[in-house]
Amino acid sequence: MSAPTVAKTTVVIATRNRAAELARTLTELRALRPAPAIVVLDNASVDGTVGAAEAFPDVRVVRLPRNLGAAARNLGVALARTPYVAFSDDDSWWAEDALREAERVLDAHPRLGLIAGRTLVGADHRDDPVNELMASSPLGHPPGLPGPLVLGFLACAAIVRREAYLQAAGFSPLLHFGAEERLLSLDMAACGWDLCYVARVRAHHHPSARRPPHAWRRRTEQRNNALIAWMRRPLRRSAAESAGLLRRAARDPRMLLAFAGVVRRLPRALAQRRTLPPEVERRARTLELAHGRK
């Protein structure tokens, strides 16, 4: 009799104050075969989220004393004992065959550090707009890779090679939340790993009603994009990013909060500054020009 198939992937979920959504996600994930290990990092929830997770005895739950944002996932990856780690949000889960397919792709491509999967939104499984952006990536689809090269992804639909993630030091605590995927993409590419969009690896996302306001998310992402520039990009590009944010703040006083956030975090960002290798910088600039960012 052949040995049962064992999952090579651990699913890591960072959550905060979404008990009902998390319970549904864990129910969906536990139905996958082979069953992946699951690690839940609770970002200091004050509702019943921890209890909802602990109701699943085969799920490892880690209570964090404070909200670490996206960087909470780093602890989940550190705890994983599998070569691959799939991220889910507390309102997303993987399709039935997604993890098996991702494992086959990663096994076949040893320099592939990250798979950006196809995100299907809601009960009608509509494509997230990000799917088309990645499918038509201006970075192209080099021979020998399973999909177009990307320098960004949605965390709720990403599977990483654990070795590559750890080499790139994971998600940045400085950013907390917003555009954190962009910095990790740059760092993984700088370490020599490929990142590809693979449409046949699918994730389901049912966005929670408990979400930060859109204006807050926009301010946070623009703040973090400016910080990422100072951490990784040429100084001329970094200054241009911050100057653009300041011009937007002159038109919209609410953006002053984003600019103040950059100023407050800038010393820590500069302490972590290391410019990208020329090829990775070229890819980053190619994407900016393709998306209309001067």
Side-chain angles (χ1 to χ4, degrees):
M1 181 181 298
S2 60
T5 302
V6 176
K8 298 180 180 180
T9 303
T10 298
V11 178
V12 168
I13 304 170
T15 185
R16 177 174 166 82
N17 293 338
R18 289 185 180 173
E21 294 94 330
L22 179 63
R24 179 180 181 182
T25 288
L26 293 177
T27 299
E28 297 283 352
L29 291 173
R30 289 176 72 246
L32 299 177
R33 293 294 180 270
I38 302 173
V39 180
V40 172
L41 296 311
D42 179 71
N43 269 322
S45 292
V46 295
D47 65 352
T49 296
V50 169
E54 291 178 339
F56 296 83
D58 50 348
V59 172
R60 183 166 186 174
V61 183
V62 180
R63 302 189 189 202
L64 300 175
R66 60 188 179 90
N67 182 2
L68 300 181
R73 301 181 183 119
N74 297 346
L75 178 57
V77 176
L79 292 172
R81 294 295 175 262
T82 54
Y84 311 132
V85 175
F87 296 114
S88 286
D89 286 346
D90 44 27
D91 56 1
S92 74
W93 54 88
W94 292 96
E96 181 181 2
D97 61 344
L99 299 187
R100 293 195 305 272
E101 181 60 27
E103 289 170 1
R104 287 192 288 267
V105 171
L106 288 161
D107 285 348
H109 299 86
R111 292 307 302 171
L112 184 62
L114 180 144
I115 290 174
R118 179 183 175 195
T119 306
L120 303 175
V121 181
D124 55 351
H125 301 168
R126 64 187 181 277
D127 276 279
D128 190 291
V130 173
N131 296 340
E132 178 54 32
L133 290 176
M134 293 192 292
S136 58
S137 169
L139 302 180
H141 183 169
L145 290 179
L149 282 174
V150 296
L151 271 182
F153 59 93
L154 294 178
C156 69
I159 300 172
V160 298
R161 189 181 301 273
R162 183 174 181 271
E163 174 191 0
Y165 183 94
L166 293 175
Q167 186 179 357
F171 289 106
S172 169
L174 177 62
L175 302 183
H176 191 74
F177 176 82
E180 70 273 9
E181 299 98 334
R182 183 179 175 215
L183 179 57
L184 179 58
S185 295
L186 294 172
D187 287 347
M188 292 180 75
C191 290
W193 296 97
D194 294 318
L195 297 80
C196 289
Y197 174 63
V198 181
R200 61 185 182 274
V201 175
R202 296 164 298 127
H204 296 284
H205 184 204
H206 288 233
S208 171
R210 297 173 59 89
R211 299 171 67 81
H214 175 74
W216 179 89
R217 292 172 63 92
R218 181 170 173 268
R219 288 196 303 270
T220 301
E221 289 175 359
Q222 295 199 27
R223 178 199 74 193
N224 286 348
N225 280 328
L227 290 169
I228 290 168
W230 286 110
M231 294 168 76
R232 298 291 182 266
R233 308 295 302 282
L235 290 175
R236 182 176 180 180
R237 182 65 203 151
S238 306
E241 187 82 33
S242 292
L245 181 57
L246 186 58
R247 286 193 298 272
R248 289 189 291 275
R251 298 190 301 267
D252 180 359
R254 293 173 298 179
M255 294 305 296
L256 283 172
L257 292 172
F259 187 78
V262 173
V263 173
R264 187 166 57 250
R265 293 167 175 81
L266 189 56
R268 284 180 288 163
L270 292 175
Q272 300 172 37
R273 178 174 171 80
R274 58 179 187 274
T275 55
L276 299 170
E279 173 58 22
V280 181
E281 172 59 29
R282 184 194 66 79
R283 294 180 194 175
R285 194 68 185 130
T286 296
L287 286 171
E288 288 176 341
L289 293 173
H291 297 156
R293 296 180 65 193
K294 305 300 183 183

